[in-house]
Amino acid sequence: MAQASGDKKGVAGSRQASQGELGYFKTQFDRATHAQRTLQQLRSQSTPLDKYVFLSGLKARDPKLFYHLLSQNLAEFTPLVYTPTIGAACQNYSKIYHRPEGLVISYKDKGRIKDVLESWPFKDEARIAVVTDGSRILGLGDLGVNGLPISLGKLDLYIAGAGIRPLSTLPICLDVGTNTEVHLNDPLYLGLRQTRISPNEMNEFMHEFMQAMREVFPKLLVQFEDFSTDNAFYYLDLFKNRYRCFNDDASIQGTGSVILAGFHNAADIASSAPQGPDPRDHKILFYGAGSAGIGVAKQVMSYFLNLGMSEEQAKARIWTVDSKGLVYEGRPGGLYKHKEYFARKDYSGPPIKSLLQIIDYVKPTALLGLSTQKGAFTSAIVGRMTELNPRPIIFPLSNPSSLCELEFADAVDWSKGKVVYASGSPYDSAEFEGKTYEPGQGNNMYVFPGIGLGAILSSATRVTGKMIERAATSLAGSLTEEEKEAGLIYPRLARIREV
């Protein structure tokens, strides 16, 4: 069943009773003080999820104040409206739900999807949509219609990061069932109580949906988010040359661009260290070979291509690891298609399953984690990477933080302050031997708002791979001298609009 907020006041900015009118505070109320009051109310909430619920209510009551506070307090608010808190919000969405916040398009709407889209009250204003089917939310799995907050949170960051008008945004969740029993058995679950539709049914549904989106919203850019591994690649390939769309899902494009930018700067730091490797000699080991790992690997490969290496030479600098160990051609049991591109051709021994043994075999300069395996990068792993490299590059990128391979404080401690680090979720600074270290966060907020804004303003007919790559190059070069001196590989989030 489609849900849309028919209350334009609720989405566009509820009319606030004019202070000073009869019956309202005349002398002691002003907006600046009220903003501080609201901040205090937010900070008094007990848990991050409570803060998320509070902010959701604030956005409904006073969106102007919500977006003002968000844009002025990005470092504090971003972890609440997106990762890591958005994971808990999705897991509990059917329990914390209190009002329609976007469009939920059900498989039962098949054949009349255009009519459902026509019900959106801001058709003429719509310029950017974030679409999920809830099948692979962060590292939390199939959450079904509970995945809608992913679209909501991502669009909040478009508004805060790029200044896109709230009325121009359209959050969508495609409700095509869920294979997660706990949701199907939850009496409060808001979605269809059925397992996911078949691939053929999904294909027909998606074709109708994308065609209807173009007809109803001819100026709209579509961003796919958190589709399952196979569908994430499949629908991007299917639609990228037909419609205005790109995929921020599972690191295929958006996050991959951010990691490429971070790796550029991390590689510069590592190569500039005494006895550091030549830029062409970096070796990157990806721990996790799902859509996230392979998507990021394809983006990061551009680092080597930009050094003048051929595609085969660049690909040879990358190794991947999945749950069965090192990924190589001829491995017993075969490989999923998306893993074949980086499967090693130069290994023919028995399967190597231990990450420590793989590190000893590859001797990587960089270790990137997209495995959703909490704590997978142990002290032994970090210690070995530090023995092999004067400045080991370690990016534990799995979201949310409950699934992160390595916390920042441990990385600094176990590497004796030598690590060049970026995570998917935010972490506090850490100290080692009297020195304070700031973590990098590979937050795709650094690029997707700019990509979306640029596509909107230029009326781009396509979002190409070169655009994504150029965004990464621009991000890599956006650090101030002070940020470089502090050893950062990403600019501080407070400068997001400038970036």
Side-chain angles (χ1 to χ4, degrees):
M1 180 177 181
Q3 297 179 357
S5 175
D7 179 5
K8 292 195 177 188
K9 296 176 183 177
V11 177
S14 324
R15 178 184 181 275
Q16 302 301 306
S18 178
Q19 307 307 324
E21 291 179 359
L22 185 64
Y24 291 93
F25 296 106
K26 296 181 175 65
T27 58
Q28 296 302 315
F29 185 93
D30 68 83
R31 295 292 287 178
T33 303
H34 187 52
Q36 293 303 311
R37 178 184 297 111
T38 304
L39 272 177
Q40 288 186 19
Q41 293 169 353
L42 170 68
R43 291 164 180 167
S44 71
Q45 303 300 310
S46 301
T47 68
L49 184 59
D50 290 336
K51 292 179 180 181
Y52 176 90
V53 173
F54 176 87
L55 289 174
S56 179
L58 175 63
K59 183 164 61 171
R61 297 188 305 272
D62 192 345
K64 193 171 184 178
L65 178 58
F66 169 79
Y67 288 115
H68 169 74
L69 291 175
L70 174 60
S71 62
Q72 296 299 310
N73 301 275
L74 274 171
E76 179 179 358
F77 276 50
T78 297
L80 299 176
V81 301
Y82 205 63
T83 56
T85 307
I86 200 70
C90 288
Q91 288 175 308
N92 293 279
Y93 187 62
S94 288
K95 298 179 176 65
I96 64 175
Y97 172 84
H98 58 92
R99 67 184 177 96
E101 298 177 89
L103 280 177
V104 177
I105 302 176
S106 164
Y107 183 64
K108 292 185 177 180
D109 295 320
K110 188 174 181 294
R112 61 184 188 95
I113 292 176
K114 183 178 178 181
D115 294 336
V116 175
L117 296 177
E118 292 277 8
S119 72
W120 185 245
F122 315 111
K123 292 196 302 294
D124 294 337
E125 293 92 341
R127 295 294 183 273
I128 178 77
V130 175
V131 180
T132 186
D133 71 344
S135 56
R136 203 198 74 90
I137 298 297
L138 302 174
L140 302 172
D142 181 358
L143 302 186
V145 78
N146 285 343
L148 179 60
I150 280 287
S151 297
L152 297 168
K154 187 66 56 118
L155 288 168
D156 283 341
L157 298 187
Y158 267 108
I159 294 163
I164 291 174
R165 296 174 62 240
L167 281 183
S168 298
T169 64
L170 173 54
I172 295 179
C173 185
L174 306 177
D175 184 9
V176 290
T178 177
N179 293 335
T180 304
E181 287 293 326
V182 67
H183 301 312
L184 293 174
N185 295 329
D186 179 2
L188 299 180
Y189 181 61
L190 290 161
L192 290 175
R193 295 183 185 278
Q194 66 175 59
T195 56
R196 287 192 171 269
I197 60 179
S198 71
N200 286 340
E201 291 171 323
M202 183 70 176
N203 215 23
E204 292 178 3
F205 184 78
M206 287 297 295
H207 275 286
E208 181 185 348
F209 169 71
M210 290 300 292
Q211 180 62 32
M213 288 284 280
R214 178 160 59 188
E215 292 177 10
V216 177
F217 307 109
K219 298 179 180 180
L220 193 74
L221 173 68
V222 174
Q223 175 182 317
F224 295 115
E225 184 79 16
D226 284 359
F227 279 67
S228 64
T229 297
D230 291 341
N231 283 346
F233 283 101
Y234 175 69
Y235 288 118
L236 176 62
D237 289 340
L238 185 64
F239 294 135
K240 66 183 179 182
N241 294 320
R242 304 185 193 185
Y243 303 100
R244 302 176 71 210
C245 64
F246 75 107
N247 197 327
D248 195 53
D249 170 66
S251 307
I252 288 179
Q253 287 183 305
T255 307
S257 176
V258 175
I259 304 311
L260 171 59
F263 184 80
H264 266 286
N265 291 332
D268 285 347
I269 292 173
S271 293
S272 299
Q275 299 182 327
D278 183 86
R280 298 172 65 91
D281 291 336
H282 279 286
K283 299 178 182 179
I284 310 175
L285 180 62
F286 283 86
Y287 185 66
S291 62
I294 300 303
V296 170
K298 287 183 176 180
Q299 290 282 355
V300 172
M301 197 171 75
S302 296
Y303 170 81
F304 299 106
L305 295 174
N306 291 335
L307 293 175
M309 299 170 70
S310 69
E311 180 179 349
E312 286 304 312
Q313 288 173 324
K315 189 165 63 170
R317 310 310 296 172
I318 292 173
W319 286 255
T320 57
V321 178
D322 63 11
S323 60
K324 297 179 181 178
L326 182 68
V327 177
Y328 62 94
E329 287 188 354
R331 191 177 70 177
L335 300 172
Y336 286 111
K337 185 173 180 58
H338 71 277
K339 299 181 183 183
E340 293 175 355
Y341 183 77
F342 288 107
R344 301 299 300 186
K345 299 177 181 179
D346 54 2
Y347 181 80
S348 58
I352 314 178
K353 296 185 178 181
S354 163
L355 178 57
L356 193 57
Q357 289 179 331
I358 294 170
I359 289 173
D360 283 335
Y361 170 72
V362 174
K363 295 180 173 54
T365 61
L367 174 62
L368 275 63
L370 297 109
S371 67
T372 69
Q373 299 297 311
K374 175 70 173 178
F377 296 168
T378 63
S379 59
I381 297 294
V382 176
R384 186 62 179 135
M385 286 292 296
T386 307
E387 290 171 1
L388 291 169
N389 303 284
R391 296 299 304 273
I393 300 169
I394 304 180
F395 287 8
L397 299 170
S398 293
N399 278 320
S401 51
S402 61
L403 301 176
C404 184
E405 292 87 358
L406 176 65
E407 296 189 4
F408 181 57
D410 289 334
V412 171
D413 186 28
W414 295 340
S415 70
K416 296 179 170 52
K418 296 178 180 178
V419 70
V420 184
Y421 178 100
S423 59
S425 293
Y427 282 101
D428 293 331
S429 298
E431 288 195 9
F432 181 78
E433 295 184 348
K435 183 177 179 180
T436 300
Y437 296 84
E438 293 183 54
Q441 185 192 355
N443 192 327
N444 50 12
M445 183 181 178
Y446 283 119
V447 296
F448 71 76
I451 292 170
L453 180 64
I456 291 169
L457 295 180
S458 65
S459 298
T461 58
R462 299 287 182 270
V463 177
T464 68
K466 284 294 183 183
M467 293 178 187
I468 305 291
E469 184 179 323
R470 190 62 179 269
T473 303
S474 298
L475 174 59
S478 67
L479 275 71
T480 64
E481 288 304 315
E482 186 275 330
E483 288 168 339
K484 293 177 184 177
E485 290 174 5
L488 301 184
I489 59 174
Y490 291 111
R492 293 192 174 93
L493 201 58
R495 293 201 303 113
I496 187 65
R497 285 205 178 185
E498 177 187 343
V499 172

